[in-house]
Amino acid sequence: MAQHLFTSESVSAGHPDKVCDQISDLIVDMYLEQDPNARLAIETLATTNRVVIAGEYRSNSEISEEEIDAHIRELVKEIGYEQEGFHHEKLQISNFLHGQSADIAMGVDEAYQKDEGAGDQGIMFGYACNETETLMPAALHYSHRILQGLHKARLESYSDILGPDAKAQVTLLYQDGMPIKAHKLLLSTQHAEDVSLDKIRNIVLPILETCLPKGWMPANESILINPTGRFVIGGPDGDTGLTGRKIIVDTYGGAAPHGGGAFSGKDPTKVDRSAAYMMRYLAKNVVASGIAKRCTMQVAYSIGMAKQLSLYLTTHNTGKMADQLILNWIEQNIDLRPKAIRELLNLNNPIYLRTAAYGHFGRSPQEDGGFSWENTDLAKSIGQSLLKAA
């Protein structure tokens, strides 16, 4: 197709599901800060003035329910919830965390003549493309940017008008495989009771324009702002939230496959998380090296086994050499055992709360190891080795 449309969505940090993702990753960080080898699988449910946490953990450190409770309330306050139906001071918090299954632990633990195994079976994907400077699909990239811009504007200028719950959806027009402009824009944002739709639109339109490339804004009739006309009741008061329900928002906006496993609430021995980060790291470095415009990778594991069951790569016919040559180089040079992934990407650090809103990919690597999988330090080696061989 010479032209086609493609749509992705994002949700704000105040979206009910993202509130839950952040609470789950908050608890992961709390344990990893005290015990880098802690094992965690944390689920959160949030509804009207109630938060329920459940799941399993194993750690050399004990964190009291009172400390977890206080951190959850502080996080909810930072997100912006001081509303009648969801308020950091009024929350009832129920804690049902318990110890990890010994059967699961036995499969994962290192032992004599046994490498650390994967925490579960599963398939994980990674993707990168040259549509944006972050090597992310453009529709998702701009959906995230719009909501980050809205969040900044709310904190700096409109805290009395805008609420923390919001969703964005961006439809782009592609020409010969590359995005050229926005075709439709949709933004729904929570707001105060007495604020008109015209006021909301006047606040939002400059944010949209700032967050898109110059000349990409569609006509006014193609920009939908709060299309129901009213969005006062929001957050967990308006829609129950659960951990792990926004996996496409978290990854590639539908532009690439997803293995099915959520990330938030899981320590890095869980390959749902660590191997997905590794696949992004490898796919991004392939594209950053200049040997392909797009790259998708897949890996599969079995619970309790260290070596992957399979590894797949495609450059979608954009590569400068056969896909098999790239795959061979990765298999010969990169250790994909779960422990090796954690060590390479420094994943045993408390770096996960920051991933739980606005996407796990396409973010800037940070000095403390956050978003380490976004580094392109492997690109030069890949490019020089493979271009020379080709």
Side-chain angles (χ1 to χ4, degrees):
M1 289 188 297
Q3 287 193 342
H4 71 274
L5 300 175
F6 190 80
T7 303
S8 293
E9 70 160 351
S10 182
V11 298
S12 71
H15 184 278
D17 295 331
K18 282 285 131 196
V19 171
C20 293
D21 285 344
Q22 289 169 90
I23 291 172
S24 293
D25 273 339
L26 166 71
I27 297 169
V28 170
D29 280 357
M30 289 177 69
Y31 273 95
L32 290 179
E33 188 170 17
Q34 297 191 23
D35 177 8
N37 296 309
R39 304 272 175 82
L40 301 130
I42 311 298
E43 308 293 345
T44 302
L45 176 148
T47 186
T48 304
N49 276 329
R50 180 176 288 277
V51 167
V52 180
I53 56 173
E56 302 78 48
Y57 70 95
R58 188 179 75 172
S59 175
N60 292 327
S61 298
E62 281 295 329
I63 300 176
S64 68
E65 288 193 18
E66 291 76 17
E67 189 175 354
I68 291 173
D69 183 300
H71 277 73
I72 290 172
R73 293 182 191 279
E74 184 60 31
L75 175 62
V76 170
K77 182 180 180 181
E78 288 178 7
I79 293 170
Y81 279 109
E82 295 183 308
Q83 300 170 3
E84 185 63 29
F86 199 73
H87 195 294
H88 58 92
E89 292 179 345
K90 300 177 182 179
L91 291 178
Q92 297 180 50
I93 300 174
S94 301
N95 185 328
F96 298 104
L97 300 181
H98 60 86
Q100 183 189 46
S101 161
D103 293 343
I104 293 175
M106 179 177 63
V108 177
D109 288 345
E110 279 186 293
Y112 177 66
Q113 293 186 334
K114 176 188 176 297
D115 288 333
E116 177 187 294
D120 201 354
Q121 72 177 48
I123 56 174
M124 300 87 210
F125 288 91
Y127 180 73
C129 62
N130 67 345
E131 294 179 14
T132 61
E133 67 272 14
T134 59
L135 304 186
M136 286 289 286
L140 181 65
H141 173 79
Y142 293 115
S143 295
H144 287 326
R145 283 191 62 178
I146 286 167
L147 289 178
Q148 288 169 313
L150 184 71
H151 173 72
K152 186 171 185 277
R154 181 175 68 83
L155 292 181
E156 293 179 353
S157 306
Y158 302 110
S159 59
D160 58 334
I161 295 176
L162 301 179
D165 193 359
K167 303 176 77 170
Q169 190 166 281
V170 174
T171 300
L172 299 182
L173 175 66
Y174 281 71
Q175 177 73 45
D176 298 324
M178 290 297 287
I180 58 172
K181 69 174 195 175
H183 177 74
K184 296 276 188 183
L185 298 176
L186 169 60
L187 180 66
S188 297
T189 179
Q190 189 182 18
H191 59 85
E193 176 86 40
D194 57 351
V195 179
S196 70
L197 184 57
D198 285 341
K199 176 69 172 177
I200 299 296
R201 192 175 182 90
N202 289 336
I203 291 172
V204 165
L205 284 177
I207 297 170
L208 295 177
E209 190 160 12
T210 300
C211 293
L212 291 173
K214 187 175 181 180
W216 276 37
M217 283 285 282
N220 277 337
E221 59 268 22
S222 294
I223 302 173
L224 307 176
I225 309 298
N226 282 11
T228 66
R230 178 182 167 88
F231 186 6
V232 174
I233 300 173
D237 185 33
D239 186 12
T240 297
L242 290 170
T243 299
R245 281 207 298 205
K246 288 294 177 283
I247 57 177
I248 300 303
V249 171
D250 285 343
T251 54
Y252 306 104
H258 190 293
F263 302 153
S264 290
K266 297 175 181 176
D267 74 83
T269 68
K270 312 294 191 295
V271 285
D272 273 347
R273 183 167 220 161
S274 55
Y277 291 170
M278 188 64 172
M279 291 301 100
R280 163 64 178 175
Y281 173 68
L282 293 175
K284 184 175 183 180
N285 275 273
V286 166
V287 175
S289 74
I291 63 175
K293 296 178 181 178
R294 294 172 60 198
C295 182
T296 298
M297 296 200 63
Q298 184 211 55
V299 68
Y301 291 92
S302 165
I303 188 170
M305 295 180 63
K307 185 171 174 56
Q308 72 272 13
L309 301 183
S310 66
L311 185 66
Y312 166 80
L313 178 148
T314 177
T315 60
H316 307 274
N317 298 315
T318 69
K320 295 181 178 179
M321 62 207 61
D323 290 347
Q324 190 62 47
L325 290 176
I326 306 172
L327 185 62
N328 290 346
W329 187 93
I330 290 172
E331 290 182 319
Q332 291 164 13
N333 291 277
I334 305 299
D335 189 345
L336 294 177
R337 291 176 298 172
K339 183 178 180 180
I341 290 173
R342 295 205 325 276
E343 290 176 347
L344 177 66
L345 298 179
N346 295 310
L347 297 181
N348 283 94
N349 294 314
I351 57 173
Y352 297 106
L353 173 57
R354 70 195 75 170
T355 69
Y358 309 114
H360 292 245
F361 307 125
R363 313 282 286 275
S364 297
Q366 297 169 348
E367 290 185 4
D368 66 352
F371 302 104
S372 59
W373 49 93
E374 292 297 316
N375 282 305
T376 54
D377 52 307
L378 201 61
K380 186 175 180 180
S381 297
I382 293 175
Q384 288 181 345
S385 301
L386 290 173
L387 289 172
K388 186 183 297 183

